[in-house]
Amino acid sequence: KIDMAPSGRVRGDGRAAARTVGAMSIFGFGPSATIDIELNGAEKRAMRRQETLDGTEGVDVPVFQDTEDVSGKVTLVVPGSKKLEHIGIKVELLGHIELYYDRGNHHEFLHSVQELAAAGEVSGSNEWEFDFKDEAKPFETYNGINVRCRYFVRATVTRNYSSNLVASSDLWVQKLQAQPEINTTIKMEVGIEDCLHIEFEYNASKYHLTDVVTGKIYFLLVRIKIKHMELAIIRRESAGSGSNVYNESDTLTKYEVMDGCPVRGESIPIRLYLSGFELTPTYRNNKFSVRYYLNLVLVDEEDRRYFKQQEITIYRKEIG
């Protein structure tokens, strides 16, 4: 028995569609019906790669802004002269937060249902349109190490004595955020007593996804032999609650700021373009969080490492 279709894909003609699923006939002579979902306007949208839970494959799904309506059509095809009895056909718009270590459960924060057909019989090719208007989509789509936030449309043909026919099609939701009214610079002093004293300054504490981090590092005291200095972007993901909290840190890039030993009074400029990296906005909700840090690392000639982390906020300025 076939119960549920895999998540959505993009058809060869550029339209977003669900993978069709077949139900075996009671006589075992092949599939009795196929069901398919198409999302309107998908061919004109940007696409993002949606990974599966096990990471073995991915599909391209269309990008929607959180304020947009989600519409399309469901197609049910019963081959030949067969008839398919059902007790109702529906389509749902769903939003789930799924924790990879607890795949049997999920947090459902969006569930909207539209009934397409009452109980009866269908034959041949059948189409129903759907339109989910003004549905709140509070979170951005996210694919992480231990958690993902997912939006999808699911169509179900419910049957009495056979397994249901189900197909689903994913969409990628993005949320625009206003430019922060207050965006203070970051200034800090760090050092080792009688050995090293530096000041560093970043131009802002909040950056959009294609922004540029600029700043300067001032060496006020240098009594150790520094081999090089680098700036890294670290993403820290926290998922779960209570005793089941999983924390993961991922270094997205390392940028060499300086090669060689500086002298007292020297100033080193910093310029790091964020557009070249797979960043997401900063997330904070009661199921998971994603935070970003600038990590300044100094390495001396004995390969000892001195570092200082500073959290920054990432926000989305445009859809894409």
Side-chain angles (χ1 to χ4, degrees):
K1 294 181 179 180
I2 299 173
D3 186 18
M4 187 166 182
S7 58
R9 61 177 172 84
V10 175
R11 295 159 45 130
D13 58 7
R15 293 177 295 170
R19 290 179 179 171
T20 55
V21 61
M24 302 305 292
S25 70
I26 59 175
F27 302 108
F29 295 142
S32 62
T34 57
I35 186 171
D36 185 71
I37 302 172
E38 293 182 17
L39 300 177
N40 289 339
E43 67 279 1
K44 301 176 183 178
R45 296 181 178 273
M47 295 286 174
R48 294 296 302 268
R49 195 73 172 170
Q50 173 86 332
E51 301 297 330
T52 54
L53 276 176
D54 58 9
T56 56
E57 63 175 322
V59 292
D60 291 327
V61 299
V63 174
F64 283 75
Q65 190 173 343
D66 63 312
T67 55
E68 289 186 274
D69 298 335
V70 179
S71 62
K73 69 178 179 180
V74 174
T75 303
L76 175 64
V77 178
V78 182
S81 58
K82 296 179 181 179
K83 293 184 178 181
L84 186 146
E85 292 186 5
H86 65 86
I87 57 174
I89 301 172
K90 66 181 179 180
V91 62
E92 303 160 281
L93 177 61
L94 298 152
H96 287 178
I97 293 176
E98 301 169 350
L99 301 172
Y100 294 170
Y101 64 84
D102 190 15
R103 297 185 181 183
N105 297 309
H106 58 262
H107 170 62
E108 187 173 87
F109 58 86
L110 170 61
H111 188 182
S112 182
V113 184
Q114 293 182 8
E115 299 294 335
L116 301 179
E121 287 186 347
V122 291
S123 60
S125 181
N126 307 265
E127 291 185 355
W128 297 272
E129 294 186 349
F130 61 86
D131 191 358
F132 292 98
K133 291 182 176 294
D134 303 321
E135 296 291 348
K137 307 173 193 68
F139 310 120
E140 276 221 5
T141 298
Y142 175 71
N143 278 331
I145 299 172
N146 287 314
V147 63
R148 74 172 178 176
C149 181
R150 176 191 176 207
Y151 292 85
F152 59 102
V153 175
R154 182 170 66 196
T156 305
V157 180
T158 306
R159 301 194 290 176
N160 255 331
Y161 304 110
S162 300
S163 57
N164 295 340
L165 285 173
V166 185
S168 63
S169 184
D170 280 73
L171 52 145
W172 192 284
V173 172
Q174 294 181 344
K175 293 173 65 70
L176 291 181
Q177 295 164 287
Q179 185 171 339
E181 293 183 4
I182 300 175
N183 196 353
T184 57
T185 59
I186 299 173
K187 293 182 179 180
M188 297 189 70
E189 293 187 17
V190 295
I192 305 169
E193 188 175 358
D194 297 329
C195 294
L196 179 69
H197 184 194
I198 64 174
E199 291 180 352
F200 62 87
E201 178 180 343
Y202 301 122
N203 66 316
S205 56
K206 301 173 183 177
Y207 300 90
H208 60 77
L209 291 167
T210 56
D211 218 335
V212 183
V213 178
T214 60
K216 285 187 178 181
I217 300 170
Y218 304 94
F219 290 87
L220 305 179
L221 176 65
V222 184
R223 289 181 179 170
I224 58 176
K225 293 183 178 180
I226 297 175
K227 185 164 61 175
H228 70 268
M229 179 169 58
E230 63 190 26
L231 183 65
I233 300 176
I234 296 175
R235 177 165 54 214
R236 189 165 296 155
E237 175 189 291
S238 178
S241 60
S243 59
N244 292 321
V245 175
Y246 290 78
N247 296 304
E248 296 284 350
S249 291
D250 187 17
T251 300
L252 304 181
T253 184
K254 290 182 180 180
Y255 162 66
E256 188 170 84
V257 176
M258 180 194 69
D259 185 16
C261 187
V263 297
R264 181 179 178 179
E266 190 167 359
S267 172
I268 305 295
I270 293 174
R271 182 173 293 270
L272 178 60
Y273 292 85
L274 300 180
S275 58
F277 311 110
E278 285 294 322
L279 302 177
T280 69
T282 298
Y283 294 81
R284 292 185 182 92
N285 60 60
N286 60 358
K287 294 297 179 181
F288 72 97
S289 66
V290 180
R291 300 184 176 188
Y292 289 90
Y293 296 83
L294 294 176
N295 190 36
L296 185 66
V297 182
L298 286 81
V299 183
D300 68 15
E301 289 189 340
E302 297 181 6
D303 286 331
R304 290 176 297 198
R305 301 172 71 85
Y306 311 89
F307 65 91
K308 185 66 177 180
Q309 286 188 4
Q310 178 62 45
E311 184 175 2
I312 59 174
T313 298
I314 305 293
Y315 65 95
R316 182 175 298 283
K317 187 179 179 180
E318 58 186 23
I319 300 297

